[in-house]
Amino acid sequence: MSPKPTAPDAGPCRLDWDDLRHFLAIARHGTLSGAARALGVRQSTMSRRLAALEARAGAQLLQKTPDGYRPSAAGEAILGPVERIEAEADTVARTITGTDLRLAGSVRITSVETLATLVLMPVLAGFARRYPDIELELLADSRDLDLSRREADVALRLAPYTQPGVVARRLARVGFGVYASADYLDRHGRPDFAAGAPGQYTVLPSDELRQAPEMQWFAARTHAARPGLRCNRRQAALAAIEAGMGIGCLARYLGDGRGLVRLDAGPPPPARALWYGVHEDIRHTARIRALAAALAEGFAAAAMRLDPPD
């Protein structure tokens, strides 16, 4: 339960934007833990900030329900104005960042975990050696983080950007393949993809990834197979295929060179474009431009690994 707010002092109520930002995060995520993860703070900090805000406002703004925190009547009344304040604050932050000519400061990058670990990390390592005054933060996350809210500065994604104000360009092409372990094939034989791979087991992604073009292609060729495992992480899918739990569709940079057998399933899976995205307000910042150049160079060098011609 939120602490009972105390009566405000006489005079106008002065609210701290940082407290309002924490209120907004709790309202959006419904839990202190989810809001804390979104803002990168401790859960105890979220609770303390909410208590301070409600004490200052003299009203309960969030109610704890069995389904999580929900705005009270007072919270609903201020939700829209606080979101507008957030938008203006983000605009101010992006404008200031966009005029920063120093090759110093911080850059927050978001990318899917396997790409970040296997392809992006060497590029970032070289960038960090060249620009030691630029502090890099990597968010290995499959979520589509909001660049306009500064959840990240730069994003690498396998889908075009639809967020307003985001400038995007194609950075690379990512190919896919179908893989199985030698042990699995010894036990189950080679799949008959023309018949939908009857008698086989598949390693499949969670629901949010099943609509990806390569996964729809894979589903069409394995419609007679049984699911061996569903998982929400590409690294876990790789481990499952290596452990012989089934056949699966993986990015070539993830599946190649690991002792797996790449299977011929007819026409290859559709390749996907890897997109670089940055908000238009900060794209000319010196450190953002330096990183963009490093990413373009690094991913050009990795082109054959990302989308091998065979």
Side-chain angles (χ1 to χ4, degrees):
M1 293 289 291
S2 299
K4 184 177 179 180
T6 60
D9 296 333
C13 175
R14 298 186 181 276
L15 301 180
D16 182 275
W17 159 238
D18 213 28
D19 288 339
L20 291 172
R21 187 167 65 97
H22 286 70
F23 156 77
L24 200 54
I26 299 170
R28 283 174 175 154
H29 293 274
T31 64
L32 294 176
S33 58
R37 284 193 299 271
L39 296 185
V41 301
R42 295 178 182 274
Q43 184 171 328
S44 58
T45 301
M46 300 300 303
S47 180
R48 186 173 64 253
R49 287 283 191 175
L50 176 60
L53 174 62
E54 291 184 330
R56 216 175 268 119
Q60 185 179 20
L61 302 176
L62 291 165
Q63 297 173 329
K64 191 171 184 180
T65 73
D67 296 324
Y69 282 88
R70 296 290 181 268
S72 64
E76 287 283 1
I78 69 167
L79 193 57
V82 172
E83 288 178 330
R84 289 193 290 274
I85 293 172
E86 177 192 46
E88 292 297 330
D90 288 341
T91 298
V92 170
R94 291 195 306 267
T95 300
I96 293 172
T97 302
T99 60
D100 191 347
L101 302 179
R102 300 170 301 145
L103 285 168
S106 64
V107 180
R108 180 179 288 186
I109 308 154
T110 180
S111 172
V112 295
E113 184 177 4
T114 55
L115 186 71
T117 303
L118 300 176
V119 184
L120 178 59
M121 198 59 69
V123 179
L124 297 184
F127 181 84
R129 288 191 293 270
R130 186 174 181 183
Y131 301 105
D133 293 329
I134 297 178
E135 179 183 338
L136 297 175
E137 180 179 355
L138 177 62
L139 303 174
D141 201 317
S142 59
R143 291 178 302 152
D144 192 10
L145 300 184
D146 194 331
L147 300 183
S148 65
R149 289 180 178 159
R150 298 299 302 277
E151 291 180 344
D153 298 313
V154 169
L156 303 180
R157 286 286 177 259
L158 287 170
Y161 291 87
T162 58
Q163 296 175 9
V166 172
V167 177
R169 63 183 175 86
R170 180 171 156 165
L171 191 61
R173 176 182 161 100
V174 178
F176 294 84
V178 180
Y179 297 87
S181 70
D183 170 69
Y184 174 86
L185 294 176
D186 286 342
R187 288 183 285 114
H188 296 276
R190 294 250 172 181
D192 181 359
F193 290 107
Q200 302 289 334
Y201 291 86
T202 53
V203 176
L204 300 173
S206 52
D207 290 344
E208 64 268 22
L209 297 176
R210 290 172 65 184
Q211 299 307 311
E214 72 278 3
M215 296 315 303
Q216 291 185 330
W217 174 94
F218 182 65
R221 282 155 180 79
T222 56
H223 59 83
R226 296 175 58 186
L229 178 73
R230 295 185 188 275
C231 54
N232 66 345
R233 289 288 183 270
R234 294 172 176 86
Q235 196 72 41
L238 170 62
I241 296 169
E242 289 178 322
M245 295 187 69
I247 58 177
C249 184
L250 299 171
R252 293 289 302 272
Y253 72 80
L254 184 58
D256 288 357
R258 293 186 173 269
L260 295 173
V261 179
R262 186 162 61 89
L263 302 171
D264 183 0
R272 295 174 69 184
L274 175 66
W275 295 90
Y276 164 89
V278 63
H279 198 279
E280 60 185 359
D281 289 347
I282 66 170
R283 63 175 169 156
H284 296 304
T285 304
R287 60 183 179 272
I288 299 294
R289 294 182 65 175
L291 179 61
L295 291 174
E297 180 180 353
F299 277 87
M304 295 293 288
R305 182 184 175 194
L306 290 167
D307 188 29
D310 60 322

